[in-house]
Amino acid sequence: MCRSLLSARIFHQKYYYCSISMIQNLKLHVVESGDAKNPLMLFLHGFPECWYSWRHQIRAFNKDYHCVAFDMRGVGESDGPPGKRNYTSDLITGDVCELIQVLGHETCILVGHDWGGLIGWKFAAQYPQMVERYIAMNIPHPDRFSELLTFHLPQIIMSWYIFFFQIPWFPERAVKMGDYNMIDEECKHGETTDEDIQAFKYSISKPGRTHTFLNYYRNELTLLFNKTGVVKTPTLLIWGTADNYLHTKLSYDTEKFCPSLKVERIEGGNHFIQQDKPDLVNQLMRKYLEREITLKI
């Protein structure tokens, strides 16, 4: 585990600085890179990751943006209050809202993947005035997800883990088995190194973090079956077509939930697309943002 901490410290010294932000009586571990006077690009990570999953994007965009990634509540170095009730989507979107203000910004370019992506969709629906552009990666609009989760058998089968994680305590033991072997199996793709894997293991192995992170899933069904509503924010959906958890069909027919949507599919890309194909993802992000700026002018 010490290798991951060393890796993180080296990355800190070269690319950004970290700090602790207080929001809603919680301490959040925040990582920043770039001039704070530039527009904010805020990253929301997924499971079983942490802020470090955005290292490639931080490097790519810190010259033009104030890049900020953070350990979401219950993850890594951030506080993890006990109890399922402390991990509802409303509380987590509230964290995002307050953090943007604490960072000294009024709006952001919001980027989300997996669980962070679900929160991103929810945040864009609830706080549209705070999101200039939304970039979602391998995560559908929640209302589209709930559609397929009710009748599309392939997606129901692929979502087995959501139902498994509803069981008390046993899933925590399963995640920890074999020195968190699940992370080796699921996250080792593309340009992800053994040292990167150790960083994710270090984050989730901190006391109590496996339990608090799984509480996200224990509130997920409520999130999915409570309508999120239409997202009017201009949005880019980047989708790896070899996702083992989310069927590519989820990336279609989303326009009814997000009229200003552009979809870019990466053939053969996996669920952890921002780490699996970072150069291509960064190119698509930059192309989209430059196009949107041109249209705005």
Side-chain angles (χ1 to χ4, degrees):
M1 296 301 177
C2 62
R3 283 193 301 160
S4 64
L5 185 57
L6 176 60
S7 172
R9 285 176 176 168
I10 291 172
F11 195 78
H12 278 258
Q13 294 167 4
K14 289 184 177 180
Y15 297 103
Y16 58 76
Y17 64 94
C18 65
S19 61
I20 297 294
S21 292
M22 287 295 299
I23 56 105
Q24 300 187 87
N25 297 317
L26 287 179
K27 293 180 181 178
L28 292 183
H29 173 233
V30 176
V31 172
E32 300 178 65
S33 183
D35 191 336
K37 295 180 181 178
N38 286 338
L40 174 63
M41 182 176 285
L42 183 63
F43 298 94
L44 308 178
H45 68 80
F47 180 89
E49 301 164 301
C50 60
W51 70 266
Y52 189 67
S53 66
W54 297 110
R55 60 198 178 279
H56 301 293
Q57 287 67 46
I58 291 172
R59 290 190 184 109
F61 291 96
N62 62 3
K63 291 182 180 179
D64 300 315
Y65 294 91
H66 178 204
C67 292
V68 176
F70 68 103
D71 290 339
M72 297 168 73
R73 67 162 61 201
V75 179
E77 305 289 337
S78 293
D79 281 351
K84 172 183 171 180
R85 68 184 182 281
N86 285 308
Y87 297 89
T88 64
S89 63
D90 286 341
L91 283 175
I92 302 170
T93 54
D95 292 348
V96 176
C97 178
E98 192 168 344
L99 179 59
I100 291 171
Q101 298 173 68
V102 168
L103 292 167
H105 294 271
E106 295 181 354
T107 63
C108 70
I109 303 295
L110 190 61
V111 186
H113 166 253
D114 188 73
W115 246 110
L118 282 179
I119 295 301
W121 281 110
K122 191 80 171 180
F123 186 82
Q126 290 182 331
Y127 302 92
Q129 73 281 5
M130 300 185 76
V131 186
E132 293 187 16
R133 302 288 182 269
Y134 179 43
I135 300 176
M137 300 189 190
N138 274 75
I139 193 69
H141 186 291
D143 295 350
R144 178 62 176 149
F145 196 5
S146 64
E147 278 186 346
L148 262 68
L149 202 54
T150 55
F151 73 84
H152 188 248
L153 183 59
Q155 182 56 61
I156 294 171
I157 294 172
M158 293 170 78
S159 296
W160 66 269
Y161 60 94
I162 296 176
F163 305 103
F164 173 66
F165 286 160
Q166 305 305 311
I167 303 170
W169 298 112
F170 182 71
E172 282 85 343
R173 293 179 177 272
V175 169
K176 294 177 182 178
M177 286 179 60
D179 186 28
Y180 296 87
N181 184 57
M182 174 201 72
I183 295 179
D184 290 298
E185 294 178 353
E186 304 302 334
C187 297
K188 185 65 183 295
H189 299 286
E191 298 186 16
T192 305
T193 67
D194 290 336
E195 192 171 59
D196 295 331
I197 293 295
Q198 290 300 317
F200 296 127
K201 287 186 177 183
Y202 172 79
S203 175
I204 202 169
S205 65
K206 293 183 70 64
R209 290 302 178 260
T210 304
H211 176 64
T212 52
F213 212 163
L214 287 180
N215 277 333
Y216 281 64
Y217 286 97
R218 290 167 180 146
N219 286 291
E220 183 171 13
L221 295 179
T222 300
L223 167 63
L224 291 178
F225 292 104
N226 287 336
K227 296 296 184 183
T228 295
V230 173
V231 171
K232 297 181 180 180
T233 301
T235 299
L236 171 65
L237 176 59
I238 298 176
W239 197 278
T241 61
D243 194 320
N244 290 326
Y245 308 102
L246 298 171
H247 199 282
T248 298
K249 189 172 182 178
L250 287 165
S251 67
Y252 291 89
D253 298 327
T254 302
E255 290 79 6
K256 58 187 174 183
F257 303 114
C258 182
S260 298
L261 179 72
K262 181 173 179 57
V263 181
E264 295 280 5
R265 297 179 184 86
I266 299 177
E267 291 299 323
N270 69 30
H271 179 70
F272 303 93
I273 193 65
Q274 80 276 27
Q275 299 183 81
D276 181 39
K277 307 288 184 183
D279 292 340
L280 181 51
V281 165
N282 294 343
Q283 289 172 19
L284 292 173
M285 288 176 63
R286 191 172 299 280
K287 179 181 176 182
Y288 175 75
L289 292 172
E290 289 175 351
R291 172 180 174 273
E292 287 296 312
I293 290 172
T294 301
L295 290 176
K296 190 174 181 180
I297 294 174

